[in-house]
Amino acid sequence: MGDLLGFVLSGLVSGALYALLATGLVLSYSASGLFNFAHGATAYLCALGFYELHSGLGWPAVPTAVLMVVVVAPGIGWGLDRLMFRKLARVGETAQIVATIGLLVALPAAGLWAVELLDDAGAPVLPAENQFGLPGVGPSPAKAWQLMDGVGIDSDQLITWIATAVVAVGLWVLMRHTRLGLRLRASVDDRSLVELRGISADRLSSVAWMLSSGLAGLAGVLATPLLGLSAQDFTLFLFVSATAAVLGRFLSVPLAFAGGLGLGVLQNLTAGYASFADGITGFRTAVPFLILFAGLLIMTRRQRAAGTAAVDAPPVDYLAGRSWGRRWGV
């Protein structure tokens, strides 16, 4: 029983990060119809900024986290929407994929380049090394509590759960009980009808991208103790989160959120109990994508539906009964 609870609790930590990223993907896709491959790069930039400001420059953890999540991350989303995403929404899918994959590579490189420039200028920044156990929002080193034999939690995990729960409640209130949420849901259903009501769909798109980037920034800050500063790990987290977004059909925020939590728990349970896969390299990492494949097979099944078929009456043949030459001649 202790092992099971331990797997579930640790799975809920990664699941909470998946849920935050998946929800951001759904918001941005719903607003613009564009899958943002650079979503994980935004999370990485915020994690890097939090680490340098907190550990390098010595800023307090909580105000620094608030700055990254409430100001910097939405600013990145707003800027990218105005400069790129709004235009990309009007071009083909190939250009969208190439552009966002380019951002996936360019944004982390730009962040690391900025750190190098600050280091050369004499600023007290730290090398962006990929190491675990970096300071998070909570106390450093993290405080630990033992729930039962072999089952414990620490302050970083607790903060992740609390922040994710607050975000879930906040999003539900925003989308269901505010005018902005009503407009965002309406723009998802029919963008042209929203514009006929005199509402700027482009402005709603900017708001959605700011919310999406804010969620990515929160995931990045919370994941700093778990993932370190590895851009590759953040990219992998993005694609696992995309699995949850797909299961929510890129439309349902609650389904994407629940899918992210479920993926984290299932991934941990599989790694803990699937003893047959101990010798299979990368099996634990592949679990979400196997679930994605199964989910796509289920969702794409189509049942027969009753309906009617109408056949237009054939046009009148004025040459019926005439000779072959008359029918086929000039």
Side-chain angles (χ1 to χ4, degrees), residues 39-246:
H39 197 58
T42 302
Y44 175 77
L45 275 185
C46 292
L48 179 63
F50 172 78
Y51 171 69
E52 295 296 348
L53 292 175
H54 175 47
S55 300
L57 301 182
W59 290 20
V62 175
T64 304
V66 171
L67 173 68
M68 300 306 299
V69 174
V70 177
V71 178
V72 175
I76 293 173
W78 180 83
L80 290 177
D81 176 59
R82 294 299 300 269
L83 294 175
M84 285 189 61
F85 294 146
R86 194 173 293 182
K87 299 179 178 64
L88 284 175
R90 302 183 178 93
V91 300
E93 291 181 357
T94 303
Q96 294 175 0
I97 293 172
V98 171
T100 53
I101 289 179
L103 284 176
L104 172 66
V105 177
L107 288 180
L112 294 173
W113 180 55
V115 172
E116 290 179 3
L117 291 179
L118 290 172
D119 187 36
D120 293 340
V125 294
L126 297 176
E129 298 174 346
N130 180 24
Q131 54 183 329
F132 296 102
L134 296 177
V137 179
S140 182
K143 294 183 178 180
W145 299 276
Q146 201 73 16
L147 300 181
M148 61 173 64
D149 241 358
V151 179
I153 62 172
D154 60 36
S155 53
D156 289 329
Q157 292 176 326
L158 189 60
I159 289 172
T160 300
W161 294 330
I162 293 174
T164 304
V166 170
V167 167
V169 174
L171 282 175
W172 178 75
V173 172
L174 172 68
M175 300 300 286
R176 293 293 173 182
H177 297 282
T178 66
R179 179 171 295 182
L180 174 61
L182 177 64
R183 291 177 174 180
L184 286 171
R185 287 186 286 123
S187 68
V188 173
D189 292 337
D190 198 317
R191 184 184 179 98
S192 59
L193 285 180
V194 169
E195 292 177 336
L196 286 175
R197 295 283 297 176
I199 300 170
S200 172
D202 285 340
R203 185 175 300 171
L204 288 176
S205 175
S206 292
V207 171
W209 278 103
M210 291 170 69
L211 288 172
S212 171
S213 296
L215 292 172
L218 177 60
V221 170
L222 294 175
T224 302
L226 177 65
L227 297 182
L229 293 175
S230 169
Q232 290 79 12
D233 286 344
F234 277 94
T235 302
L236 179 61
F237 254 58
L238 162 73
F239 287 110
V240 176
S241 304
T243 301
V246 169

